[in-house]
Each structure stands twice: as structure tokens, then as C-alpha cells.
Amino acid sequence: MALVRLAGDRIVTRLGPVLTVVWALAWRRGASCWPRGARSPLAALIGFALIGLGAANIVPVMFGAAGRLLGASPGISIATVTTLGYAGLLSGPALIGFLAQAGGLPVALAAVAGLLLLTAASARLVRPSREGLHKPSSQRSWDPAPRQLLEDTGFRLSLE
């Protein structure tokens, strides 16, 4: 996973962010079938490693898209994406366990695969746009709002 993430910039430059996310999710979806049919723990482990390879570049692309959102500070946008990621990391296993208990492991893993397809369908949202949701990095203005926030709370900041 680390090697794929290190090569991620080259992959995104070559394919673009949308195709990178779509191909990564398709790889991950295909690899998620492997552990279900594995007959040994080693084969299942290899399947989970393949899932990790597919997921390696999704998060950096999402962080980049969040940092380019118009009307929002890059720091706040990236913090929001990180918070949602941690919420999924913490609640995902419990929800999968609940679904597996209620309907069986195949139902739970099918639900995960369905969510991957939903994510792939929304991959166009990471596309850098000239006029839409995103702004190019050269036109980013760093929001002076933190200074205003400090002054509103009674803290005076003097840079002169």
C-alpha cells in the first residue's frame, strides 16, 4: 500500500483524479471477492492486501479535492474529510458486524461492495473544475478568518 501511495502522484497525473478513484474502487471491488472465496488464511490475507492496494490512492485524491473547494478554508475542508474518515473507520466494523449477525457475512460484505459502487458513482466530484466547486491551487487565497476569530474572542494579534 505504501508503494502505491508513493506512486500516487504519477498515477493521478497520468489518469486524472476521477479515473484514479474509479479504477481504484473497481480494483478494490474486484479484490473484495477474493477473501470471501479464500480457502486458507493466507489466501484471505492476500485478498485483503489487494484491497489495500486498491484503496491506497483514494484518500489523497479526496484530500486534494477538499482542499480546492470554493468558499471553504482548505484546513476546515480537509479536517471535515478526516473526521468523516475516522467516523467510518470507527463505525464501519460495528455496522458490518451488525449486518453479518442479522443477515450473514455475505450480506454484510455485499453491503460494503454496494457502498464502494456508490463511491465510484460519485467519483466525478473530485474533478478539478475551472468554474465549479473547486479552485485551482494558484488562485487559492488563505482565509484571514482565523485572525478575525482571534480578535472576536478578545485576543489581539499585532503583526506590525
Side-chain angles (χ1 to χ4, degrees):
M1 187 171 174
L3 292 175
V4 174
R5 189 164 280 184
L6 289 172
D9 286 339
R10 288 189 190 115
I11 294 169
V12 172
T13 300
R14 178 171 243 175
L15 297 177
V18 175
L19 277 178
T20 300
V21 171
V22 169
W23 279 105
L25 288 167
W27 174 280
R28 189 173 175 182
R29 170 65 181 101
S32 69
C33 295
W34 185 311
R36 285 185 271 174
R39 300 199 185 276
S40 73
L42 180 61
L45 185 63
I46 291 170
F48 287 121
L50 291 173
I51 291 171
L53 290 177
N57 285 319
I58 296 172
V59 171
V61 171
M62 296 298 175
F63 283 163
R68 291 188 303 270
L69 281 176
L70 284 178
S73 162
I76 291 173
S77 299
I78 292 171
T80 302
V81 170
T82 302
T83 301
L84 291 172
Y86 279 122
L89 183 71
L90 293 172
S91 65
L95 291 172
I96 292 170
F98 174 76
L99 288 174
Q101 185 70 30
L105 189 57
V107 171
L109 294 177
V112 172
L115 289 174
L116 289 174
L117 291 175
L118 180 66
T119 306
S122 63
R124 63 182 176 82
L125 296 175
V126 299
R127 178 181 302 135
S129 158
R130 292 189 186 99
E131 68 280 337
L133 295 172
H134 300 89
K135 56 186 165 186
S137 59
S138 63
Q139 294 178 356
R140 251 184 242 152
S141 63
W142 299 104
D143 191 9
R147 180 178 183 163
Q148 184 64 40
L149 180 65
L150 288 173
E151 290 175 356
D152 289 347
T153 58
F155 184 81
R156 298 284 181 229
L157 181 64
S158 175
L159 297 175
E160 298 147 11

